[in-house]
Amino acid sequence: MATIIPVASFDCVVFGATGDLTTRKLLPALFYRFQDGQIPGTSRIIGASRTDIAAETFRERARDAIKRFVPPQDIREGALDAFIDHLDYVMIDGAGEEGWAELTAKLNERPDQVRPYYLATSPDLYGPICRNLASHGLIGEKSRVVLEKPIGKDLKSARAINDAVGEVFPETQIYRIDHYLGKETVQNLLALRFANTIFERLWTADVIDHVQITVAETVGVEGRAGYYDRSGALRDMLQNHLLQLLCLTAMESPLNLDANAVRDEKLKVLRALKPITPNDVQQVTVRGQYGAGAVAGKPVESYATELEGPSRTETFVAMKVEVQSWRWAGVPFYLRTGKRMPQKLSEIVVQFRASPFSIFPEESFGREPNRLVIRLQPQEGMKLEVMTKDPGPGGMRLRPTNLDISFEETFKQRYPDAYERLLMDVVRGNATLFMRRDEVEAAWAWADGVLKAWSDRPEAPRPYPAGTWGPTSAIALIERDGRTWHEELR
Ligand code: BG6
């Protein structure tokens, strides 16, 4: 069993309390942490939103949300009632005056609590909410503000948000969430690289041929078309989640695990990304949009039908990215992410160079390269693909086999959702797994270059049928270099 260390008592105010993120992710995550005894009984979770409902109604909705998003076998007798008792609600206008006196009165009942303000609202409210928090005297040493993505849609808008929040909160009290950093396997990547000697020694251009990062989803835009169509796969997934995975894979060893030490190293990677220019954008990037098709045997509509009109927004992007540093010179990073793919799958594949010479006969496939596959979902774990001898007396034939660690099977425990870890880190004041301002801005500066290069050559995204791995040009992108996207060993 994992050791659970209770956090300090807190009052967490969730702005956007009736929204999708709160319902699907935040309330279930807080419930799990409460049930495991990590949240002290003197803590409160105060929902805040413009919806005019009584606290009792909010509690009922929260109860329904937990029953819907937490499997029944995970809910222990009495735990849900006990958790619901800690919930409260304030109707509030984040940008106006209404509701602030009530929130202030509630918070002032317990001035010594740690106070996370979780902004799960539209980003244009981040500045106004923060100004209101300041003008009502609600920011103290124990306050922290948590910002959900998207932090802007380009560098300029990200800076405007960061400036507005930075006017009232010092950087050390700002927690910018990228929930991929809260996934267990992502943290395991740090353990793998920096707590073992065997891999780090091989982590160089001399030994690694290339790296692939795939984040594939089966879902479409799920009622978020309004947001998604203004965003697209580059802004929604690649600029943040995939670049963060790239950073953790490519960064040098940090001095220690302190927030700034880790973030300094990630920032160097972001700054070393080779800009993508209008001249090479067609060679190194592919944009796609799903058409009608079938996912897991079920027919699904095209993006344009879901949107009720044509669109030039990409629901898939693949790219070849270079990190310009001594360690990574000449090692391409192939990134791809898309909606309506055949399966939900997130993985990082580190492919080592093939052995320089084979002593085995040609037909024995003796030169298949080794691959380290770090699987984020489903079935978090790691696999090392190695060549082994086919068993039996029939001569020396080789075949690739997995050295396999499935975390759930090995540790025999539920794997917590990323938000559970991240929410507790906010209360603890540990910002290691959150993005610093300069990181977010460096990621946007690079992504802006890609967006600009695309807009200079305005081509419609390539169509791909739902339930496939994207447009054929995404396969060509990697095959032009004599490589292929990773396929699971059977
Ligand atoms: C979010 C994106 O950040 O991540 C969504 O906005 C996406 O479009 C989601 O579906 C994927 O998260 P996960 O944890 O399900 O891989």
Side-chain angles (χ1 to χ4, degrees):
M1 277 298 280
T3 323
I4 291 170
I5 303 167
V7 294
S9 179
F10 64 86
D11 283 342
C12 177
V13 184
V14 182
F15 291 88
T18 52
D20 199 51
L21 182 80
T22 310
T23 314
R24 277 174 187 273
K25 292 287 181 185
L26 304 183
L27 287 170
L30 287 163
F31 168 72
Y32 270 119
R33 295 296 88 233
F34 176 82
Q35 179 173 257
D36 280 353
Q38 195 164 16
I39 297 183
T42 44
S43 302
R44 290 181 295 178
I45 295 141
I46 306 176
S49 95
R50 276 216 299 243
T51 314
D52 185 7
I53 49 169
E56 201 39 51
T57 313
F58 177 67
R59 284 193 272 267
E60 278 321 302
R61 287 190 188 182
R63 182 188 297 277
D64 292 345
I66 290 162
K67 282 190 182 152
R68 191 160 152 225
F69 294 108
V70 177
Q73 67 275 17
D74 282 4
I75 304 180
R76 292 199 288 271
E77 172 109 40
L80 184 51
D81 287 337
F83 175 71
I84 297 292
D85 278 350
H86 293 272
L87 302 189
D88 202 347
Y89 183 79
V90 181
M91 183 191 127
I92 206 161
D93 178 1
E97 262 309 304
E98 202 178 352
W100 284 94
E102 191 187 345
L103 179 64
T104 308
K106 279 190 200 292
L107 291 175
N108 286 346
E109 286 163 13
R110 301 185 191 172
D112 295 330
Q113 301 273 81
V114 171
R115 269 193 212 158
Y117 298 111
Y118 200 113
L119 309 194
T121 63
S122 151
D124 35 287
L125 284 175
Y126 293 175
I129 292 175
C130 288
R131 278 194 290 278
N132 256 324
L133 288 169
S135 66
H136 290 87
L138 295 176
I139 303 178
E141 264 175 32
K142 289 185 173 178
S143 315
R144 306 128 173 36
V145 66
V146 187
L147 307 181
E148 256 300 329
K149 70 174 265 280
I151 299 182
K153 60 178 176 49
D154 53 19
L155 179 58
K156 191 164 166 243
S157 50
R159 277 196 179 138
I161 293 172
N162 284 331
D163 283 346
V165 176
E167 265 172 37
V168 297
F169 280 100
E171 181 64 28
T172 48
Q173 287 173 251
I174 304 175
Y175 291 73
R176 296 180 192 80
I177 286 228
D178 183 314
H179 76 279
Y180 267 60
L181 294 181
K183 292 187 190 272
E184 283 287 324
T185 315
V186 175
Q187 295 156 59
N188 249 312
L189 182 57
L190 293 176
L192 176 92
R193 289 196 55 200
F194 304 121
N196 297 290
T197 46
I198 50 173
F199 293 109
E200 200 46 27
R201 311 238 152 151
L202 305 178
W203 223 250
T204 76
D206 295 343
V207 192
I208 292 178
D209 178 71
H210 74 276
V211 176
Q212 299 180 15
I213 301 178
T214 296
V215 177
E217 298 183 88
T218 51
V219 291
V221 287
E222 309 284 281
R224 294 159 76 224
Y227 151 74
Y228 193 86
D229 200 53
R230 277 178 276 117
S231 170
L234 176 81
R235 291 187 171 102
D236 184 50
M237 298 292 288
L238 197 138
Q239 181 272 349
N240 37 75
H241 304 325
L242 279 86
L243 285 189
Q244 286 293 321
L245 298 181
L246 185 153
C247 284
L248 292 177
T249 309
M251 73 183 189
E252 298 300 320
S253 166
L255 293 178
N256 50 46
L257 271 192
D258 285 354
N260 280 333
V262 173
R263 298 187 298 183
D264 286 346
E265 293 309 327
K266 287 198 290 163
L267 181 64
K268 287 184 201 159
V269 177
L270 291 168
R271 290 193 172 149
L273 292 178
K274 185 175 174 202
I276 291 180
T277 64
N279 287 339
D280 56 17
V281 73
Q282 272 183 318
Q283 279 292 311
V284 298
T285 73
V286 172
R287 303 169 73 225
Q289 188 187 89
Y290 62 83
V295 178
K298 281 203 198 116
V300 294
E301 293 177 327
S302 68
Y303 178 69
T305 312
E306 274 183 60
L307 202 71
E308 297 175 0
S311 158
R312 294 172 83 90
T313 300
E314 79 284 353
T315 60
F316 172 94
V317 64
M319 264 187 210
K320 178 181 172 183
V321 174
E322 287 174 53
V323 179
Q324 296 179 305
S325 68
W326 272 57
R327 190 191 277 260
W328 295 113
V331 179
F333 285 71
Y334 298 95
L335 314 182
R336 64 175 170 168
T337 180
K339 302 239 179 238
R340 294 290 192 220
M341 307 265 97
Q343 64 182 117
K344 184 165 172 76
L345 169 86
S346 302
E347 65 180 21
I348 302 169
V349 178
V350 179
Q351 180 161 324
F352 297 94
R353 291 186 187 279
S355 56
F357 171 77
S358 175
I359 61 165
F360 301 98
E362 273 302 300
E363 69 276 14
S364 75
F365 305 107
R367 296 185 65 190
E368 209 27 48
N370 300 122
R371 289 185 199 90
L372 176 67
V373 181
I374 301 154
R375 175 68 77 87
L376 277 67
Q377 54 197 21
Q379 290 132 19
E380 308 202 25
M382 292 184 197
K383 288 178 195 166
L384 185 62
E385 293 178 12
V386 292
M387 295 306 291
T388 50
K389 179 191 164 298
D390 219 358
M396 189 68 180
R397 267 182 300 277
L398 302 183
R399 70 167 179 203
T401 317
N402 284 324
L403 287 179
D404 197 344
I405 321 174
S406 152
F407 294 148
E408 217 153 337
E409 262 169 44
T410 308
F411 299 109
K412 306 241 178 311
Q413 67 173 72
R414 178 186 74 88
Y415 258 64
D417 185 76
Y419 280 95
E420 295 179 46
R421 163 71 197 254
L422 295 175
L423 281 160
M424 294 302 97
D425 277 359
V426 172
V427 179
R428 279 189 282 254
N430 179 355
T432 304
L433 298 176
F434 296 81
M435 290 178 298
R436 205 168 55 192
R437 172 177 186 150
D438 46 9
E439 262 185 274
V440 173
E441 294 184 2
W444 273 125
W446 179 83
D448 271 4
V450 182
L451 290 164
K452 163 96 182 41
W454 281 344
S455 70
D456 283 356
R457 295 171 176 265
E459 278 161 28
R462 313 267 171 126
Y464 62 96
T468 63
W469 289 102
T472 45
S473 39
I475 297 169
L477 171 88
I478 191 165
E479 292 195 343
R480 270 201 297 278
D481 295 345
R483 301 175 172 116
T484 52
W485 292 108
H486 175 245
E487 273 178 40
E488 186 89 1
L489 286 183
R490 308 245 169 250

